[in-house]
């Protein structure tokens, strides 16, 4: 963690847009595979596959470590603070403050990712003082491009981020949303 980076709070709960974004807990471990063990999530995200209970426990431990380091926050997307329906991420990196999301297949089509992104972006602007948040998406991921557009993000004129993950090449576009 850079000395200029302030640590994140131990507990975070964000409310807005009809959602409650809250910390993941041990009680969520059994629900996480239903949300994240899906071919589309395995294909478009860096989440491990298969995503079982052991992967959920490892993710929870990694989440806590990254928060303590001041680099990343992972919050469960809920409508009432209860059952998780997906997650939203905020990551501080050299290229900027990056947001990300994943919504369980059974919960798609409700605007959860779009609303979760807007709530997390508001947190970044209001609490962390950032001027812009970014998304890194593959152009072929039409669902994520639609979420970015609905959340108010615009495609930035920056070079593609190329790499390989899980044995397949990728090219990520960078989308940005500026502080209002």
């Amino acid at each position: 963690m850079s000395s200029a980076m302030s640590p994140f709070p131990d507990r975070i709960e964000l409310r807005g847009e009809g959602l409650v974004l809250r910390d993941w807990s041990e009680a969520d471990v059994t629900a996480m595979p239903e949300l994240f063990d899906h071919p589309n999530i395995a294909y478009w995200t860096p989440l491990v596959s298969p995503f079982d209970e052991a992967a959920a426990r490892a993710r929870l431990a990694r989440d806590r470590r990254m928060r303590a380091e001041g680099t990343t926050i992972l919050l469960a997307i809920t409508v009432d603070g209860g059952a998780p329906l997906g997650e939203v991420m905020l990551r501080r990196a050299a290229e900027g403050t990056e947001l990300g999301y994943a919504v369980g297949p059974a919960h798609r089509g409700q605007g959860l990712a779009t609303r979760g992104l807007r709530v997390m972006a508001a947190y970044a602007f209001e609490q962390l003082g950032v001027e812009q948040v970014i998304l890194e998406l593959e152009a072929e991921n039409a669902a994520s491009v639609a979420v970015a557009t609905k959340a108010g993000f615009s495609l930035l004129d920056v070079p593609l981020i190329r790499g390989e993950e899980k044995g397949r090449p990728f090219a990520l576009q960078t989308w940005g949303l500026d502080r209002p």
Side-chain angles (χ1 to χ4, degrees):
M1 179 172 89
S2 155
S3 60
M5 258 189 243
S6 59
F8 293 122
D10 289 339
R11 306 259 328 131
I12 298 176
E13 182 175 281
L14 307 177
R15 293 177 177 267
E17 304 255 350
L19 299 177
V20 177
L21 306 181
R22 64 160 176 80
D23 294 314
W24 287 104
S25 72
E26 291 292 331
D28 296 320
V29 167
T30 57
M32 291 170 85
E34 180 182 327
L35 298 174
F36 303 135
D37 190 34
H38 188 271
N40 284 346
I41 290 176
Y43 187 83
W44 296 115
T45 75
L47 290 173
V48 300
S49 181
F51 195 97
D52 56 15
E53 207 168 303
R57 289 190 187 288
R59 184 156 179 82
L60 187 59
R62 183 172 174 255
D63 168 29
R64 291 176 176 161
R65 186 179 69 255
M66 291 184 303
R67 180 180 295 193
E69 293 168 354
T71 60
T72 305
I73 304 168
L74 297 170
L75 298 177
I77 298 172
T78 76
V79 292
D80 58 4
L85 310 173
E87 82 174 0
V88 66
M89 173 206 73
L90 180 147
R91 181 175 71 94
R92 295 169 166 163
E95 58 272 13
T97 301
E98 179 187 2
L99 303 184
Y101 50 88
V103 173
H107 310 292
R108 293 182 184 154
Q110 302 173 47
L112 297 170
T114 301
R115 293 184 287 148
L117 278 177
R118 288 194 296 241
V119 172
M120 188 65 99
Y123 173 78
F125 297 142
E126 297 163 13
Q127 300 299 315
L128 304 179
V130 303
E131 294 300 317
Q132 182 183 62
V133 291
I134 62 171
L135 296 170
E136 295 174 346
L137 309 172
E138 292 185 63
E140 297 82 15
N141 187 345
S144 280
V145 169
V147 166
T149 303
K150 288 177 190 170
F153 285 73
S154 301
L155 184 60
L156 301 179
D157 187 18
V158 297
L160 292 174
I161 301 164
R162 296 184 185 278
E164 184 175 313
E165 189 156 26
K166 299 180 187 173
R168 76 172 188 89
F170 64 80
L172 301 174
Q173 297 175 325
T174 303
W175 292 71
L177 178 67
D178 294 330
R179 175 194 283 269

